[in-house]
Amino acid sequence: MTVNVTVTGAAGQIGYALLFRIASGQLLGADTPVSLRLLEIPQAVKAAEGTAMELDDCAFPLLEDIEITDDAKKAFDGANIALLVGARPRTKGMERGDLLAANGGIFKPQGEAINAGAADDVRVLVVGNPANTNALIAQQHAPDVPAERFTAMTRLDHNRAVAQLSKKLGVPVSAIRRLAIWGNHSATQYPDLFHAEVNGENAAAAVNDEAWLRDTFIPTVAKRGAAIIEARGASSAASAAGAAIDHVSTWVHGTAEGDWTSAAVVSDGSYGVPEGLISSFPVVARDGRYEIVQGLEIDDFSRERIDASVAELVEERDAVRKLGLI
Ligand code: NAX
């Protein structure tokens, strides 16, 4: 059966890296035809049409059709997968409150449109920043959709952490399992090596260098986005698109036995993260659902960092509440 995939911000740079991979079958597999619905703001519809021309020109056998619109209701009608990439970036002199308000103006109506018209099995991934709180706003305006269907992306952070660890230890990325990002997709995020494994051995023990972990690994992962901008002159796009593909394809197809991944999902109160916040956790995907890995022991080092990132999420939630956005 054809799967309807809605992508917002389709004319942006992540959109450009993402759409071709979806249409080629990398999101849902080589047997699943896709119908793309691209949502853009009116000024960018023409650019999205240009991307659609290129998608046509790839003659992807799995791509059934492409619809381009600036109307959220149309874009989410019948959506099975919704990738919310378009967001309002922070511009010079913009306060955090202004940023949250501007994004509330995007994610509230999109949540409402998902609630009104998306398919019963809709799964939502928010990529656009501030991703966790944008996802919370959309989720709060979609009361008829199970809350667990709203997620935000920390898979890029996860992949970045895997890559850094692989380089440090000189092992292939395939040797690394059970890494986890906790908290907010922001500089406060906490990439956790204490539960990760390298060739079956504890990763923190294999590194055996707390100073590296604290002063190099964690800040390198957390500030990688800024380092990419500095080097490339533009923010990460292909790696972000790759992580979005990973997030959805894991969600649909499941995690490998004994492994887990990272995703920001609605908290059920696990690990002291207030219920209802959309926070990153170690998660397994089973039967099309992301579930928080339970029962991990959290030491003081990790506790302090998880709490700091979660405190930031609480502040963001309180700020959008105050603005009347949720
Ligand atoms: P671009 O500025 O290239 O593209 C964004 C696109 O969204 C633009 O074409 C714009 O017209 C569109 N847009 C804006 N408002 C819209 C609306 N209401 N409806 C539909 N489309 C709308 O940004 P890009 O580099 O593609 O990044 C997109 C978002 O991803 C940004 O918010 C960025 O901060 C975020 N990121 C999130 C990451 C994550 O790990 N969660 C990593 C990468 C990226 O930084």
Side-chain angles (χ1 to χ4, degrees), residues 8-9 11-15 39-41 44 85-87 106 110 126-129 131 153 156-157 185 235-236 240:
T8 78
Q13 52 152 5
I14 295 177
L39 179 67
E40 260 297 350
I41 51 174
V85 179
I106 295 173
Q110 291 187 2
V126 176
V127 174
N129 280 319
M153 189 165 94
L156 179 56
D157 308 303
H185 167 69
S235 59
S236 38

Coordinates of all heavy atoms in Angstrom, one line a residue, residues 8-9 11-15 39-41 44 85-87 106 110 126-129 131 153 156-157 185 235-236 240, ligand 1:
T8 N 7.4 19.1 5.7 CA 7.4 20.5 5.7 C 8.8 21.1 5.5 O 9.7 20.5 5.8 CB 6.7 21.0 7.0 OG1 7.7 21.0 8.1 CG2 5.5 20.2 7.5
G9 N 8.8 22.4 5.1 CA 10.1 23.0 4.8 C 10.8 22.3 3.6 O 12.0 22.2 3.6
A11 N 11.4 23.0 0.7 CA 12.3 23.7 -0.2 C 13.6 24.1 0.5 O 14.5 24.6 -0.1 CB 11.7 25.0 -0.8
G12 N 13.8 23.7 1.7 CA 15.0 24.0 2.5 C 16.1 23.1 2.2 O 15.9 22.1 1.4
Q13 N 17.2 23.3 2.9 CA 18.4 22.4 2.6 C 18.2 21.0 3.1 O 18.7 20.1 2.5 CB 19.7 23.1 3.0 CG 19.8 23.6 4.4 CD 21.3 23.6 4.8 OE1 22.2 23.3 4.1 NE2 21.5 23.9 6.1
I14 N 17.6 20.8 4.3 CA 17.4 19.4 4.7 C 16.4 18.8 3.8 O 16.6 17.6 3.4 CB 16.9 19.4 6.2 CG1 18.0 19.9 7.1 CG2 16.5 18.0 6.6 CD1 17.6 20.0 8.6
G15 N 15.3 19.5 3.4 CA 14.4 19.0 2.5 C 15.0 18.5 1.2 O 14.7 17.4 0.7
L39 N 4.9 20.7 2.1 CA 4.3 21.9 2.6 C 5.4 23.0 2.7 O 6.5 22.7 3.2 CB 3.8 21.7 4.0 CG 3.2 22.9 4.7 CD1 1.9 23.4 4.0 CD2 2.8 22.6 6.2
E40 N 5.1 24.1 2.1 CA 6.0 25.3 2.2 C 5.3 26.6 2.5 O 4.0 26.6 2.3 CB 6.8 25.4 0.9 CG 8.3 24.8 1.0 CD 9.2 25.6 2.0 OE1 8.8 26.6 2.5 OE2 10.3 25.1 2.3
I41 N 6.0 27.6 2.8 CA 5.3 28.9 2.9 C 5.2 29.4 1.4 O 5.9 29.0 0.5 CB 6.2 29.9 3.8 CG1 7.6 29.9 3.3 CG2 6.1 29.5 5.2 CD1 8.5 31.0 4.0
A44 N 8.1 30.1 -0.9 CA 9.0 29.0 -1.2 C 8.3 27.9 -2.0 O 9.0 26.9 -2.3 CB 9.6 28.5 0.1
V85 N 10.0 19.6 9.2 CA 11.4 20.1 9.1 C 11.4 21.6 9.1 O 12.3 22.3 9.7 CB 12.0 19.6 7.8 CG1 13.4 20.1 7.7 CG2 12.0 18.1 7.8
G86 N 10.4 22.3 8.5 CA 10.4 23.7 8.4 C 10.1 24.4 9.8 O 9.2 23.9 10.5
A87 N 10.9 25.4 10.1 CA 10.7 26.1 11.4 C 11.3 27.5 11.2 O 11.8 27.8 10.2 CB 11.5 25.4 12.5
I106 N 3.7 28.2 13.9 CA 3.9 27.2 12.9 C 3.4 25.9 13.4 O 2.6 25.2 12.7 CB 5.4 27.1 12.5 CG1 5.9 28.4 11.8 CG2 5.6 25.9 11.6 CD1 7.3 28.4 11.5
Q110 N -0.1 23.3 12.6 CA 0.3 22.0 12.0 C -0.2 20.9 12.9 O -0.7 19.8 12.4 CB 1.8 21.9 11.8 CG 2.2 22.9 10.7 CD 3.7 22.8 10.2 OE1 4.4 22.0 10.7 NE2 4.1 23.7 9.3
V126 N 9.5 15.6 14.5 CA 9.8 17.1 14.4 C 11.3 17.2 14.3 O 12.1 16.8 15.2 CB 9.2 17.9 15.6 CG1 9.7 19.3 15.5 CG2 7.7 17.8 15.6
V127 N 11.8 17.9 13.3 CA 13.2 18.2 13.1 C 13.5 19.6 13.4 O 14.5 20.0 13.9 CB 13.6 17.8 11.7 CG1 15.1 18.2 11.4 CG2 13.5 16.3 11.4
G128 N 12.6 20.5 13.0 CA 12.7 22.0 13.1 C 12.9 22.4 14.5 O 12.2 22.0 15.4
N129 N 13.9 23.2 14.7 CA 14.2 23.7 16.1 C 13.4 24.8 16.6 O 12.9 25.6 15.8 CB 15.7 24.1 16.1 CG 16.6 22.9 16.2 OD1 16.3 21.9 17.0 ND2 17.7 22.9 15.5
A131 N 13.4 21.6 18.5 CA 12.6 20.5 18.1 C 11.7 19.9 19.2 O 10.5 19.6 19.0 CB 13.6 19.4 17.5
M153 N 13.6 14.9 16.9 CA 14.9 14.2 16.5 C 16.1 14.5 17.3 O 16.5 15.6 17.4 CB 15.2 14.6 15.0 CG 16.3 13.7 14.4 SD 16.3 13.9 12.7 CE 17.6 15.2 12.5
L156 N 20.4 12.5 15.1 CA 21.7 13.1 14.6 C 22.7 13.2 15.7 O 23.9 12.9 15.5 CB 21.4 14.5 14.0 CG 22.6 15.2 13.4 CD1 23.3 14.4 12.4 CD2 22.2 16.6 12.8
D157 N 22.3 13.6 16.9 CA 23.2 13.7 18.0 C 23.7 12.3 18.4 O 24.9 12.1 18.7 CB 22.4 14.3 19.3 CG 21.8 15.6 18.9 OD1 22.5 16.5 18.5 OD2 20.5 15.7 19.1
H185 N 17.4 18.4 22.5 CA 18.3 18.6 21.3 C 18.8 20.0 21.4 O 18.3 20.9 20.7 CB 17.5 18.4 20.0 CG 18.3 18.8 18.8 ND1 19.4 18.2 18.4 CD2 18.1 19.9 18.0 CE1 19.9 18.8 17.4 NE2 19.2 19.8 17.1
S235 N 24.5 25.1 7.8 CA 24.3 24.1 8.8 C 24.1 22.7 8.2 O 23.9 22.6 7.0 CB 23.0 24.5 9.6 OG 21.9 24.6 8.7
S236 N 24.3 21.8 9.1 CA 24.2 20.4 8.7 C 22.9 20.1 8.0 O 21.8 20.4 8.5 CB 24.4 19.4 9.8 OG 23.8 19.9 11.0
A240 N 21.6 15.6 8.8 CA 20.3 15.7 9.5 C 19.3 14.9 8.7 O 18.5 14.2 9.3 CB 19.9 17.2 9.5
Ligands
NAX1 P1 16.3 25.9 5.7 O1 16.1 27.3 6.2 O2 17.2 25.6 4.6 O3 14.8 25.4 5.3 C1 13.7 25.6 6.1 C2 12.5 25.6 5.2 O4 11.3 25.6 6.0 C3 12.5 26.8 4.3 O5 12.3 26.4 2.9 C4 11.2 27.6 4.8 O6 10.5 28.3 3.7 C5 10.4 26.5 5.3 N1 9.3 26.9 6.3 C6 9.4 27.8 7.2 N2 8.2 27.9 7.8 C7 7.4 27.0 7.3 C8 6.1 26.6 7.6 N3 5.3 27.3 8.4 N4 5.6 25.6 6.8 C9 6.3 24.9 5.9 N5 7.6 25.3 5.6 C10 8.1 26.3 6.3 O7 16.6 25.1 7.0 P2 17.2 23.6 7.1 O8 18.7 23.7 7.1 O9 16.5 22.8 6.1 O10 16.8 23.2 8.6 C11 15.4 23.0 9.0 C12 15.3 22.9 10.5 O11 16.0 21.8 11.0 C13 15.8 24.2 11.2 O12 14.9 24.5 12.2 C14 17.1 23.6 11.9 O13 17.4 24.3 13.1 C15 16.7 22.2 12.2 N6 17.7 21.2 12.5 C16 17.4 20.3 13.4 C17 18.3 19.2 13.7 C18 18.0 18.2 14.7 O14 18.9 17.4 14.9 N7 16.8 18.1 15.3 C19 19.6 19.2 13.0 C20 19.7 20.0 11.7 C21 19.0 21.3 11.7 O15 19.8 22.2 12.3

